Amino acid sequence: MSQAVIHNKTVYLAGQVGTGASVAIQTREILATIDALLAEAGTDKSRLLSATIWLTDMATSGNEWGVAVVVVPVRRRRGPRW
């Protein structure tokens, strides 16, 4: 299975899974993998359109956000809001 596919200048990534001991460590691993895959495709997270995080246990919800908020850039929305 391909880890990344490019179609019409859009990069689609396969689901990524971390193996670390905690959700925060797994999140760092996954984001590093995403960085590497996007770099191979000639782009980066600043052009990210969408991301979905799946958790196996909602009790761990929130542990990944401290990591993800620091690593994934936040862009201001341009144009009209619908």
Side-chain angles (χ1 to χ4, degrees), residues 1-51:
M1 180 169 95
S2 298
Q3 290 299 304
V5 174
I6 301 171
H7 176 71
N8 286 338
K9 298 183 182 181
T10 301
V11 179
Y12 298 89
L13 300 181
Q16 303 302 315
V17 179
T19 59
S22 71
V23 171
I25 291 170
Q26 290 174 22
T27 302
R28 283 188 195 91
E29 291 171 353
I30 292 165
L31 291 172
T33 301
I34 289 170
D35 279 338
L37 290 169
L38 291 174
E40 284 183 44
T43 190
D44 60 40
K45 287 190 302 258
S46 70
R47 301 178 57 88
L48 192 66
L49 296 174
S50 175

mmCIF file of all heavy atoms in Angstrom, residues 1-51:
data_model
loop_
_atom_site.group_PDB
_atom_site.id
_atom_site.type_symbol
_atom_site.label_atom_id
_atom_site.label_comp_id
_atom_site.label_asym_id
_atom_site.label_seq_id
_atom_site.Cartn_x
_atom_site.Cartn_y
_atom_site.Cartn_z
ATOM 1 N N MET A 1 0.841 -1.175 0.000
ATOM 2 C CA MET A 1 0.000 0.000 0.000
ATOM 3 C C MET A 1 0.888 1.240 0.000
ATOM 4 O O MET A 1 1.871 1.305 0.729
ATOM 5 C CB MET A 1 -0.899 0.000 1.226
ATOM 6 C CG MET A 1 -1.806 1.205 1.271
ATOM 7 S SD MET A 1 -3.084 1.067 2.520
ATOM 8 C CE MET A 1 -2.312 1.921 3.863
ATOM 9 N N SER A 2 0.538 2.225 -0.787
ATOM 10 C CA SER A 2 1.295 3.472 -0.846
ATOM 11 C C SER A 2 1.043 4.299 0.413
ATOM 12 O O SER A 2 -0.095 4.411 0.877
ATOM 13 C CB SER A 2 0.875 4.289 -2.065
ATOM 14 O OG SER A 2 1.163 3.595 -3.247
ATOM 15 N N GLN A 3 2.084 4.909 0.940
ATOM 16 C CA GLN A 3 1.936 5.785 2.093
ATOM 17 C C GLN A 3 1.478 7.179 1.672
ATOM 18 O O GLN A 3 0.918 7.918 2.475
ATOM 19 C CB GLN A 3 3.250 5.866 2.874
ATOM 20 C CG GLN A 3 3.600 4.584 3.590
ATOM 21 C CD GLN A 3 2.551 4.201 4.612
ATOM 22 O OE1 GLN A 3 2.221 4.969 5.497
ATOM 23 N NE2 GLN A 3 1.998 3.017 4.463
ATOM 24 N N ALA A 4 1.746 7.552 0.402
ATOM 25 C CA ALA A 4 1.316 8.853 -0.112
ATOM 26 C C ALA A 4 1.001 8.710 -1.604
ATOM 27 O O ALA A 4 1.697 8.004 -2.319
ATOM 28 C CB ALA A 4 2.402 9.886 0.095
ATOM 29 N N VAL A 5 -0.041 9.406 -2.021
ATOM 30 C CA VAL A 5 -0.439 9.437 -3.423
ATOM 31 C C VAL A 5 -0.692 10.892 -3.792
ATOM 32 O O VAL A 5 -1.318 11.630 -3.027
ATOM 33 C CB VAL A 5 -1.730 8.609 -3.657
ATOM 34 C CG1 VAL A 5 -2.218 8.755 -5.089
ATOM 35 C CG2 VAL A 5 -1.495 7.150 -3.318
ATOM 36 N N ILE A 6 -0.200 11.306 -4.956
ATOM 37 C CA ILE A 6 -0.434 12.670 -5.434
ATOM 38 C C ILE A 6 -1.397 12.602 -6.606
ATOM 39 O O ILE A 6 -1.187 11.847 -7.553
ATOM 40 C CB ILE A 6 0.880 13.340 -5.867
ATOM 41 C CG1 ILE A 6 1.866 13.381 -4.704
ATOM 42 C CG2 ILE A 6 0.614 14.750 -6.399
ATOM 43 C CD1 ILE A 6 3.259 13.831 -5.086
ATOM 44 N N HIS A 7 -2.462 13.407 -6.530
ATOM 45 C CA HIS A 7 -3.435 13.487 -7.620
ATOM 46 C C HIS A 7 -3.879 14.947 -7.753
ATOM 47 O O HIS A 7 -4.321 15.559 -6.769
ATOM 48 C CB HIS A 7 -4.645 12.601 -7.326
ATOM 49 C CG HIS A 7 -5.725 12.694 -8.355
ATOM 50 N ND1 HIS A 7 -5.586 12.164 -9.617
ATOM 51 C CD2 HIS A 7 -6.943 13.265 -8.323
ATOM 52 C CE1 HIS A 7 -6.679 12.397 -10.303
ATOM 53 N NE2 HIS A 7 -7.523 13.072 -9.533
ATOM 54 N N ASN A 8 -3.740 15.519 -8.952
ATOM 55 C CA ASN A 8 -4.126 16.915 -9.197
ATOM 56 C C ASN A 8 -3.501 17.872 -8.171
ATOM 57 O O ASN A 8 -4.195 18.717 -7.601
ATOM 58 C CB ASN A 8 -5.644 17.079 -9.215
ATOM 59 C CG ASN A 8 -6.264 16.527 -10.468
ATOM 60 O OD1 ASN A 8 -5.598 16.390 -11.490
ATOM 61 N ND2 ASN A 8 -7.538 16.187 -10.401
ATOM 62 N N LYS A 9 -2.228 17.709 -7.905
ATOM 63 C CA LYS A 9 -1.463 18.572 -6.992
ATOM 64 C C LYS A 9 -1.918 18.476 -5.531
ATOM 65 O O LYS A 9 -1.603 19.327 -4.721
ATOM 66 C CB LYS A 9 -1.485 20.025 -7.453
ATOM 67 C CG LYS A 9 -0.861 20.243 -8.811
ATOM 68 C CD LYS A 9 -0.847 21.704 -9.154
ATOM 69 C CE LYS A 9 -0.257 21.908 -10.535
ATOM 70 N NZ LYS A 9 -0.213 23.321 -10.899
ATOM 71 N N THR A 10 -2.666 17.438 -5.203
ATOM 72 C CA THR A 10 -3.073 17.198 -3.818
ATOM 73 C C THR A 10 -2.423 15.905 -3.356
ATOM 74 O O THR A 10 -2.463 14.897 -4.057
ATOM 75 C CB THR A 10 -4.607 17.081 -3.704
ATOM 76 O OG1 THR A 10 -5.201 18.293 -4.181
ATOM 77 C CG2 THR A 10 -5.040 16.842 -2.271
ATOM 78 N N VAL A 11 -1.828 15.938 -2.160
ATOM 79 C CA VAL A 11 -1.172 14.765 -1.591
ATOM 80 C C VAL A 11 -2.140 14.113 -0.607
ATOM 81 O O VAL A 11 -2.648 14.763 0.305
ATOM 82 C CB VAL A 11 0.136 15.140 -0.857
ATOM 83 C CG1 VAL A 11 0.785 13.899 -0.264
ATOM 84 C CG2 VAL A 11 1.081 15.875 -1.783
ATOM 85 N N TYR A 12 -2.387 12.824 -0.798
ATOM 86 C CA TYR A 12 -3.225 12.043 0.102
ATOM 87 C C TYR A 12 -2.320 11.071 0.845
ATOM 88 O O TYR A 12 -1.564 10.338 0.228
ATOM 89 C CB TYR A 12 -4.280 11.261 -0.683
ATOM 90 C CG TYR A 12 -5.235 12.159 -1.443
ATOM 91 C CD1 TYR A 12 -4.948 12.563 -2.736
ATOM 92 C CD2 TYR A 12 -6.404 12.584 -0.832
ATOM 93 C CE1 TYR A 12 -5.823 13.395 -3.438
ATOM 94 C CE2 TYR A 12 -7.288 13.408 -1.523
ATOM 95 C CZ TYR A 12 -6.987 13.812 -2.818
ATOM 96 O OH TYR A 12 -7.857 14.623 -3.492
ATOM 97 N N LEU A 13 -2.390 11.076 2.169
ATOM 98 C CA LEU A 13 -1.562 10.180 2.978
ATOM 99 C C LEU A 13 -2.401 9.036 3.524
ATOM 100 O O LEU A 13 -3.564 9.215 3.886
ATOM 101 C CB LEU A 13 -0.933 10.935 4.150
ATOM 102 C CG LEU A 13 -0.020 12.105 3.798
ATOM 103 C CD1 LEU A 13 0.535 12.725 5.071
ATOM 104 C CD2 LEU A 13 1.087 11.678 2.872
ATOM 105 N N ALA A 14 -1.788 7.875 3.610
ATOM 106 C CA ALA A 14 -2.421 6.727 4.262
ATOM 107 C C ALA A 14 -2.458 6.991 5.762
ATOM 108 O O ALA A 14 -1.738 7.842 6.277
ATOM 109 C CB ALA A 14 -1.621 5.461 3.961
ATOM 110 N N GLY A 15 -3.287 6.251 6.475
ATOM 111 C CA GLY A 15 -3.346 6.382 7.924
ATOM 112 C C GLY A 15 -2.001 6.050 8.553
ATOM 113 O O GLY A 15 -1.314 5.135 8.124
ATOM 114 N N GLN A 16 -1.625 6.814 9.558
ATOM 115 C CA GLN A 16 -0.349 6.622 10.237
ATOM 116 C C GLN A 16 -0.616 6.177 11.674
ATOM 117 O O GLN A 16 -1.561 6.651 12.301
ATOM 118 C CB GLN A 16 0.463 7.919 10.221
ATOM 119 C CG GLN A 16 0.716 8.469 8.831
ATOM 120 C CD GLN A 16 1.451 7.485 7.944
ATOM 121 O OE1 GLN A 16 2.422 6.868 8.358
ATOM 122 N NE2 GLN A 16 0.972 7.335 6.719
ATOM 123 N N VAL A 17 0.225 5.305 12.174
ATOM 124 C CA VAL A 17 0.047 4.756 13.517
ATOM 125 C C VAL A 17 1.353 4.908 14.284
ATOM 126 O O VAL A 17 2.424 4.618 13.766
ATOM 127 C CB VAL A 17 -0.339 3.259 13.451
ATOM 128 C CG1 VAL A 17 -0.490 2.679 14.841
ATOM 129 C CG2 VAL A 17 -1.612 3.079 12.645
ATOM 130 N N GLY A 18 1.258 5.366 15.532
ATOM 131 C CA GLY A 18 2.429 5.462 16.399
ATOM 132 C C GLY A 18 2.575 4.212 17.237
ATOM 133 O O GLY A 18 1.611 3.486 17.468
ATOM 134 N N THR A 19 3.789 3.970 17.705
ATOM 135 C CA THR A 19 4.046 2.787 18.522
ATOM 136 C C THR A 19 4.553 3.139 19.922
ATOM 137 O O THR A 19 4.882 2.257 20.693
ATOM 138 C CB THR A 19 5.089 1.874 17.842
ATOM 139 O OG1 THR A 19 6.287 2.618 17.651
ATOM 140 C CG2 THR A 19 4.577 1.365 16.506
ATOM 141 N N GLY A 20 4.618 4.424 20.233
ATOM 142 C CA GLY A 20 5.166 4.876 21.510
ATOM 143 C C GLY A 20 4.328 4.453 22.701
ATOM 144 O O GLY A 20 3.205 3.955 22.570
ATOM 145 N N ALA A 21 4.879 4.698 23.886
ATOM 146 C CA ALA A 21 4.255 4.257 25.131
ATOM 147 C C ALA A 21 3.070 5.127 25.546
ATOM 148 O O ALA A 21 2.229 4.694 26.328
ATOM 149 C CB ALA A 21 5.290 4.251 26.253
ATOM 150 N N SER A 22 2.969 6.357 25.021
ATOM 151 C CA SER A 22 1.865 7.243 25.406
ATOM 152 C C SER A 22 1.275 7.877 24.155
ATOM 153 O O SER A 22 1.878 7.864 23.082
ATOM 154 C CB SER A 22 2.376 8.336 26.348
ATOM 155 O OG SER A 22 3.191 9.255 25.642
ATOM 156 N N VAL A 23 0.093 8.458 24.317
ATOM 157 C CA VAL A 23 -0.559 9.136 23.197
ATOM 158 C C VAL A 23 0.304 10.304 22.720
ATOM 159 O O VAL A 23 0.433 10.537 21.526
ATOM 160 C CB VAL A 23 -1.980 9.609 23.594
ATOM 161 C CG1 VAL A 23 -2.588 10.488 22.528
ATOM 162 C CG2 VAL A 23 -2.867 8.408 23.869
ATOM 163 N N ALA A 24 0.912 11.042 23.626
ATOM 164 C CA ALA A 24 1.760 12.173 23.241
ATOM 165 C C ALA A 24 2.959 11.707 22.409
ATOM 166 O O ALA A 24 3.285 12.319 21.387
ATOM 167 C CB ALA A 24 2.238 12.922 24.489
ATOM 168 N N ILE A 25 3.593 10.613 22.813
ATOM 169 C CA ILE A 25 4.740 10.078 22.062
ATOM 170 C C ILE A 25 4.274 9.576 20.699
ATOM 171 O O ILE A 25 4.912 9.846 19.681
ATOM 172 C CB ILE A 25 5.442 8.964 22.856
ATOM 173 C CG1 ILE A 25 6.137 9.549 24.086
ATOM 174 C CG2 ILE A 25 6.454 8.223 21.979
ATOM 175 C CD1 ILE A 25 6.653 8.512 25.061
ATOM 176 N N GLN A 26 3.155 8.871 20.666
ATOM 177 C CA GLN A 26 2.624 8.381 19.391
ATOM 178 C C GLN A 26 2.289 9.546 18.462
ATOM 179 O O GLN A 26 2.563 9.482 17.261
ATOM 180 C CB GLN A 26 1.376 7.535 19.635
ATOM 181 C CG GLN A 26 1.669 6.217 20.299
ATOM 182 C CD GLN A 26 0.402 5.458 20.653
ATOM 183 O OE1 GLN A 26 -0.653 5.691 20.074
ATOM 184 N NE2 GLN A 26 0.512 4.563 21.620
ATOM 185 N N THR A 27 1.724 10.617 19.017
ATOM 186 C CA THR A 27 1.392 11.792 18.208
ATOM 187 C C THR A 27 2.646 12.399 17.604
ATOM 188 O O THR A 27 2.671 12.732 16.413
ATOM 189 C CB THR A 27 0.636 12.837 19.054
ATOM 190 O OG1 THR A 27 -0.550 12.232 19.588
ATOM 191 C CG2 THR A 27 0.255 14.050 18.218
ATOM 192 N N ARG A 28 3.709 12.521 18.401
ATOM 193 C CA ARG A 28 4.986 13.052 17.879
ATOM 194 C C ARG A 28 5.526 12.162 16.757
ATOM 195 O O ARG A 28 5.991 12.659 15.732
ATOM 196 C CB ARG A 28 6.010 13.162 19.000
ATOM 197 C CG ARG A 28 5.805 14.336 19.898
ATOM 198 C CD ARG A 28 6.976 14.513 20.874
ATOM 199 N NE ARG A 28 6.613 15.406 21.936
ATOM 200 C CZ ARG A 28 6.075 15.044 23.106
ATOM 201 N NH1 ARG A 28 5.867 13.774 23.368
ATOM 202 N NH2 ARG A 28 5.764 15.937 24.010
ATOM 203 N N GLU A 29 5.462 10.848 16.948
ATOM 204 C CA GLU A 29 5.933 9.911 15.917
ATOM 205 C C GLU A 29 5.138 10.070 14.621
ATOM 206 O O GLU A 29 5.709 10.136 13.533
ATOM 207 C CB GLU A 29 5.790 8.470 16.409
ATOM 208 C CG GLU A 29 6.711 8.078 17.529
ATOM 209 C CD GLU A 29 6.364 6.702 18.102
ATOM 210 O OE1 GLU A 29 5.329 6.098 17.726
ATOM 211 O OE2 GLU A 29 7.151 6.234 18.928
ATOM 212 N N ILE A 30 3.834 10.126 14.760
ATOM 213 C CA ILE A 30 2.965 10.233 13.587
ATOM 214 C C ILE A 30 3.213 11.543 12.855
ATOM 215 O O ILE A 30 3.327 11.572 11.624
ATOM 216 C CB ILE A 30 1.486 10.085 14.001
ATOM 217 C CG1 ILE A 30 1.222 8.653 14.474
ATOM 218 C CG2 ILE A 30 0.549 10.483 12.866
ATOM 219 C CD1 ILE A 30 -0.084 8.485 15.234
ATOM 220 N N LEU A 31 3.314 12.641 13.592
ATOM 221 C CA LEU A 31 3.551 13.937 12.950
ATOM 222 C C LEU A 31 4.914 13.977 12.271
ATOM 223 O O LEU A 31 5.056 14.582 11.203
ATOM 224 C CB LEU A 31 3.397 15.067 13.965
ATOM 225 C CG LEU A 31 1.960 15.278 14.454
ATOM 226 C CD1 LEU A 31 1.923 16.280 15.597
ATOM 227 C CD2 LEU A 31 1.051 15.719 13.318
ATOM 228 N N ALA A 32 5.915 13.314 12.834
ATOM 229 C CA ALA A 32 7.232 13.230 12.188
ATOM 230 C C ALA A 32 7.140 12.420 10.894
ATOM 231 O O ALA A 32 7.745 12.789 9.872
ATOM 232 C CB ALA A 32 8.256 12.614 13.134
ATOM 233 N N THR A 33 6.381 11.339 10.917
ATOM 234 C CA THR A 33 6.187 10.534 9.710
ATOM 235 C C THR A 33 5.473 11.351 8.639
ATOM 236 O O THR A 33 5.843 11.327 7.461
ATOM 237 C CB THR A 33 5.380 9.259 10.031
ATOM 238 O OG1 THR A 33 6.081 8.498 11.012
ATOM 239 C CG2 THR A 33 5.146 8.417 8.787
ATOM 240 N N ILE A 34 4.452 12.089 9.047
ATOM 241 C CA ILE A 34 3.720 12.941 8.104
ATOM 242 C C ILE A 34 4.652 13.988 7.510
ATOM 243 O O ILE A 34 4.627 14.237 6.296
ATOM 244 C CB ILE A 34 2.496 13.579 8.793
ATOM 245 C CG1 ILE A 34 1.437 12.502 9.063
ATOM 246 C CG2 ILE A 34 1.925 14.730 7.963
ATOM 247 C CD1 ILE A 34 0.292 12.961 9.941
ATOM 248 N N ASP A 35 5.492 14.610 8.342
ATOM 249 C CA ASP A 35 6.479 15.576 7.836
ATOM 250 C C ASP A 35 7.354 14.955 6.755
ATOM 251 O O ASP A 35 7.585 15.558 5.707
ATOM 252 C CB ASP A 35 7.386 16.084 8.964
ATOM 253 C CG ASP A 35 6.744 17.180 9.794
ATOM 254 O OD1 ASP A 35 5.812 17.843 9.300
ATOM 255 O OD2 ASP A 35 7.201 17.365 10.940
ATOM 256 N N ALA A 36 7.848 13.756 7.011
ATOM 257 C CA ALA A 36 8.739 13.090 6.059
ATOM 258 C C ALA A 36 8.009 12.759 4.756
ATOM 259 O O ALA A 36 8.548 12.974 3.660
ATOM 260 C CB ALA A 36 9.317 11.819 6.680
ATOM 261 N N LEU A 37 6.787 12.254 4.850
ATOM 262 C CA LEU A 37 6.022 11.912 3.653
ATOM 263 C C LEU A 37 5.694 13.160 2.834
ATOM 264 O O LEU A 37 5.797 13.156 1.606
ATOM 265 C CB LEU A 37 4.735 11.182 4.031
ATOM 266 C CG LEU A 37 4.913 9.772 4.577
ATOM 267 C CD1 LEU A 37 3.600 9.264 5.166
ATOM 268 C CD2 LEU A 37 5.424 8.836 3.496
ATOM 269 N N LEU A 38 5.309 14.234 3.509
ATOM 270 C CA LEU A 38 5.010 15.469 2.795
ATOM 271 C C LEU A 38 6.263 16.048 2.139
ATOM 272 O O LEU A 38 6.207 16.546 1.017
ATOM 273 C CB LEU A 38 4.371 16.488 3.736
ATOM 274 C CG LEU A 38 2.957 16.147 4.224
ATOM 275 C CD1 LEU A 38 2.487 17.159 5.256
ATOM 276 C CD2 LEU A 38 1.979 16.060 3.062
ATOM 277 N N ALA A 39 7.404 15.966 2.834
ATOM 278 C CA ALA A 39 8.664 16.457 2.259
ATOM 279 C C ALA A 39 9.014 15.677 0.998
ATOM 280 O O ALA A 39 9.446 16.262 -0.004
ATOM 281 C CB ALA A 39 9.786 16.358 3.286
ATOM 282 N N GLU A 40 8.822 14.365 1.022
ATOM 283 C CA GLU A 40 9.071 13.543 -0.171
ATOM 284 C C GLU A 40 8.187 13.973 -1.335
ATOM 285 O O GLU A 40 8.584 13.878 -2.498
ATOM 286 C CB GLU A 40 8.816 12.064 0.128
ATOM 287 C CG GLU A 40 9.904 11.389 0.920
ATOM 288 C CD GLU A 40 9.608 9.908 1.113
ATOM 289 O OE1 GLU A 40 9.185 9.252 0.131
ATOM 290 O OE2 GLU A 40 9.792 9.426 2.236
ATOM 291 N N ALA A 41 6.981 14.462 -1.000
ATOM 292 C CA ALA A 41 6.038 14.893 -2.033
ATOM 293 C C ALA A 41 6.255 16.360 -2.419
ATOM 294 O O ALA A 41 5.527 16.890 -3.247
ATOM 295 C CB ALA A 41 4.611 14.678 -1.545
ATOM 296 N N GLY A 42 7.220 17.013 -1.778
ATOM 297 C CA GLY A 42 7.530 18.397 -2.109
ATOM 298 C C GLY A 42 6.626 19.430 -1.467
ATOM 299 O O GLY A 42 6.447 20.528 -1.974
ATOM 300 N N THR A 43 6.074 19.095 -0.314
ATOM 301 C CA THR A 43 5.191 20.036 0.379
ATOM 302 C C THR A 43 5.408 19.926 1.887
ATOM 303 O O THR A 43 6.345 19.275 2.343
ATOM 304 C CB THR A 43 3.710 19.778 -0.017
ATOM 305 O OG1 THR A 43 2.908 20.855 0.489
ATOM 306 C CG2 THR A 43 3.208 18.444 0.483
ATOM 307 N N ASP A 44 4.559 20.584 2.676
ATOM 308 C CA ASP A 44 4.675 20.520 4.136
ATOM 309 C C ASP A 44 3.314 20.783 4.782
ATOM 310 O O ASP A 44 2.325 21.008 4.093
ATOM 311 C CB ASP A 44 5.725 21.514 4.658
ATOM 312 C CG ASP A 44 5.402 22.953 4.313
ATOM 313 O OD1 ASP A 44 4.212 23.348 4.378
ATOM 314 O OD2 ASP A 44 6.323 23.695 3.968
ATOM 315 N N LYS A 45 3.282 20.749 6.118
ATOM 316 C CA LYS A 45 2.015 20.885 6.843
ATOM 317 C C LYS A 45 1.393 22.277 6.731
ATOM 318 O O LYS A 45 0.223 22.446 7.038
ATOM 319 C CB LYS A 45 2.204 20.528 8.314
ATOM 320 C CG LYS A 45 2.373 19.047 8.551
ATOM 321 C CD LYS A 45 2.305 18.695 10.022
ATOM 322 C CE LYS A 45 3.312 19.405 10.844
ATOM 323 N NZ LYS A 45 4.478 18.662 11.243
ATOM 324 N N SER A 46 2.142 23.268 6.261
ATOM 325 C CA SER A 46 1.559 24.602 6.137
ATOM 326 C C SER A 46 0.456 24.627 5.079
ATOM 327 O O SER A 46 -0.348 25.552 5.037
ATOM 328 C CB SER A 46 2.638 25.637 5.796
ATOM 329 O OG SER A 46 3.117 25.444 4.477
ATOM 330 N N ARG A 47 0.407 23.607 4.228
ATOM 331 C CA ARG A 47 -0.598 23.532 3.171
ATOM 332 C C ARG A 47 -1.655 22.457 3.476
ATOM 333 O O ARG A 47 -2.405 22.040 2.610
ATOM 334 C CB ARG A 47 0.087 23.263 1.845
ATOM 335 C CG ARG A 47 1.096 24.369 1.504
ATOM 336 C CD ARG A 47 1.822 24.133 0.230
ATOM 337 N NE ARG A 47 0.930 23.972 -0.904
ATOM 338 C CZ ARG A 47 0.463 24.954 -1.672
ATOM 339 N NH1 ARG A 47 0.809 26.192 -1.392
ATOM 340 N NH2 ARG A 47 -0.331 24.701 -2.681
ATOM 341 N N LEU A 48 -1.710 22.039 4.724
ATOM 342 C CA LEU A 48 -2.630 20.985 5.159
ATOM 343 C C LEU A 48 -4.083 21.408 4.982
ATOM 344 O O LEU A 48 -4.462 22.521 5.339
ATOM 345 C CB LEU A 48 -2.356 20.681 6.636
ATOM 346 C CG LEU A 48 -2.977 19.466 7.246
ATOM 347 C CD1 LEU A 48 -2.407 18.214 6.605
ATOM 348 C CD2 LEU A 48 -2.720 19.452 8.740
ATOM 349 N N LEU A 49 -4.878 20.534 4.398
ATOM 350 C CA LEU A 49 -6.304 20.801 4.214
ATOM 351 C C LEU A 49 -7.145 20.190 5.317
ATOM 352 O O LEU A 49 -8.118 20.774 5.771
ATOM 353 C CB LEU A 49 -6.782 20.239 2.870
ATOM 354 C CG LEU A 49 -6.174 20.863 1.631
ATOM 355 C CD1 LEU A 49 -6.623 20.108 0.383
ATOM 356 C CD2 LEU A 49 -6.557 22.324 1.537
ATOM 357 N N SER A 50 -6.770 18.982 5.743
ATOM 358 C CA SER A 50 -7.597 18.263 6.707
ATOM 359 C C SER A 50 -6.762 17.214 7.424
ATOM 360 O O SER A 50 -5.833 16.660 6.844
ATOM 361 C CB SER A 50 -8.747 17.584 5.962
ATOM 362 O OG SER A 50 -9.502 16.787 6.829
ATOM 363 N N ALA A 51 -7.123 16.950 8.662
ATOM 364 C CA ALA A 51 -6.485 15.876 9.428
ATOM 365 C C ALA A 51 -7.526 15.282 10.373
ATOM 366 O O ALA A 51 -8.349 16.007 10.931
ATOM 367 C CB ALA A 51 -5.304 16.391 10.222
#
